[in-house]
Structures are given as structure tokens and as C-alpha cells.
Amino acid sequence: MPLATQRRPHIEVTGAVLIDRLTSFWDRYGRIALGALGVLGAAGVIGFFTLRGRAAAENEGAAQLTEANYFFWQGDYTRSLQVAKQLSEQYPSTWSGMDALRLAADDCFWNGDWKSATDYYRRYLEKNRGGVVSDGVSRSYAYALENEGQYKAAADRFDSMVGKLDRESSAEFLTAAARCYRALGQTDEAAKRLRRVIDEFGETSQAVIARIRLGELGQSAP
């Protein structure tokens, strides 16, 4: 038998086996692969619409925040609070929704609603724990706590702010903490902070105030 004739059946058999194996492989794994591709495609579509929805929410939130800020700088704290409160509830996961908590707190602060102000400041700080804006909010939070009569919490907050901003501010925080301890009747704690102002921040304007306050407590300045 010629060589070519001898090889042909072998090639045909090998090809048939290969096709049979490929068919078997597709029957076994093809549907799984198609299913996986379908899942990936669906995830991509969901991701696209999620991002587009988030961007739309950010744009809408930013517009409302601008409106709330406009009312705030006009001195209309009540209307500013209404818009900021709605924004914080409608878009809580957006940057604008988070910043609306700060603005709502400022509105309440200037309206003299210390309880609501401390609540909004606290909620903002739970979401934003670092940065210059957060430090400024922490300062306002401390003063709101003091005005509400939560003197110990206010003193702790003032103490935590020492060293975070400029030296004049640090001296101011120590003086404020001393004022809170004086309101609590803890004159030794008050005097301790006033002495720190004189010893560590003697060049600031708060040092003069600290000397006066020490005299009022019946203690001599260092």
C-alpha cells in the first residue's frame, strides 16, 4: 500500500478525535464560559450606570450646597439650614451631602441652637476626621459644646486642638479649656492650663489674659 494511502486514515482518525474532544470540551465548559462573560458584562453595565448616577447626584448636591451657602452668607440661617438639612438627607454619601452637615451646624450655631449645632458638628467629624476644614469644624464644635454647657467635653476638645493650628490658636484653646474647668469649679485644672499659656505661649495675646485669669483665681503668675 502506498505511503500516502497508509497515512490518510490515521490523519482522519486523529482529526475526528480532536473534533470530538473539542465538542466535548465545549459541552462541558462552554456554557460556564458564556455565563461568566454574561456576569462580567452585567457588572460592567451596572458599574457604568452606578458611576453615572453618582456623578449626577454630585452635580445636584453641589447645586444645592451653593444655594445653602448663598443663604448663609446673606445671614438667612434658617433658609440655609433648610436646604443644607435636605441635602444631607438626600445625598448623604456625596461630598456635598457631607459638607452640608458642616453648614447646617454653622447655621444652628449662629441661630444659637447649640444642641443641634453640636449634633451636626459631631456627625460631620465622624465622616471627616482630618484636614484643615476638619480642624476648623473641631474648633467650632468645642465652642458649641461650651455654649451648651457641656464643659468637660468642651475642655477635652479644646485640649485636643492644642498644637494643631498656629501658636495664637493653641494659646486660645488652652485659655478656653481653663474657662471650662473654671465653670466646673475645678480651679486647679484651670490654673494648670493658664500657666501653660504663659510658659509655652508667652508671646501671644492670650498670655496677658492668662495672667489676669490666674489673678482672679487667687494664684500668682509664673
Side-chain angles (χ1 to χ4, degrees):
M1 182 180 294
L3 182 61
T5 304
Q6 294 177 358
R7 290 179 178 177
R8 185 175 179 182
H10 176 72
I11 293 173
E12 290 177 350
V13 170
T14 302
V17 171
L18 179 61
I19 292 173
D20 183 63
R21 288 180 179 177
L22 288 173
T23 302
S24 177
F25 180 86
W26 176 256
D27 290 339
R28 183 175 301 178
Y29 301 109
R31 292 179 181 178
I32 297 175
L34 284 175
L37 288 174
V39 170
L40 290 174
V45 171
I46 293 171
F48 170 76
F49 284 106
T50 298
L51 290 175
R52 191 169 74 171
R54 189 173 299 170
E58 285 286 2
N59 289 335
E60 177 63 25
Q64 291 187 33
L65 185 63
T66 300
E67 181 183 6
N69 272 300
Y70 171 79
F71 289 134
F72 177 83
W73 291 111
Q74 290 294 315
D76 193 344
Y77 305 123
T78 300
R79 292 183 68 185
S80 177
L81 175 60
Q82 290 174 350
V83 178
K85 182 179 179 181
Q86 180 181 351
L87 172 56
S88 68
E89 293 172 351
Q90 188 173 1
Y91 302 111
S93 61
T94 65
W95 177 88
S96 298
M98 181 177 65
D99 201 50
L101 293 173
R102 174 199 60 77
L103 184 56
D106 288 344
D107 289 323
C108 292
F109 188 99
W110 290 106
N111 273 333
D113 184 357
W114 312 119
K115 182 176 177 56
S116 296
T118 57
D119 179 62
Y120 279 118
Y121 283 136
R122 176 184 52 76
R123 289 168 59 190
Y124 175 86
L125 291 170
E126 286 175 351
K127 293 186 175 185
N128 187 1
R129 298 178 180 273
V132 176
V133 175
S134 179
D135 288 340
V137 171
S138 188
R139 168 189 247 155
S140 298
Y141 181 37
Y143 280 110
L145 286 168
E146 181 185 4
N147 281 299
E148 192 187 356
Q150 297 190 48
Y151 298 118
K152 184 59 171 67
D156 290 342
R157 177 63 59 168
F158 282 125
D159 282 339
S160 72
M161 292 291 294
V162 176
K164 285 193 173 182
L165 301 178
D166 57 276
R167 292 178 59 79
E168 186 71 34
S169 295
S170 292
E172 172 195 335
F173 299 145
L174 284 170
T175 303
R179 186 172 59 246
C180 291
Y181 277 113
R182 186 176 180 180
L184 290 168
Q186 300 181 30
T187 56
D188 289 342
E189 290 296 327
K192 185 188 301 182
R193 283 155 181 79
L194 293 172
R195 288 195 177 92
R196 278 193 63 189
V197 174
I198 298 169
D199 292 339
E200 300 176 26
F201 305 96
E203 82 285 358
T204 66
S205 62
Q206 294 296 321
V208 176
I209 298 174
R211 291 179 182 277
I212 295 173
R213 297 291 179 263
L214 274 174
E216 292 173 351
L217 293 174
Q219 301 194 29
S220 60

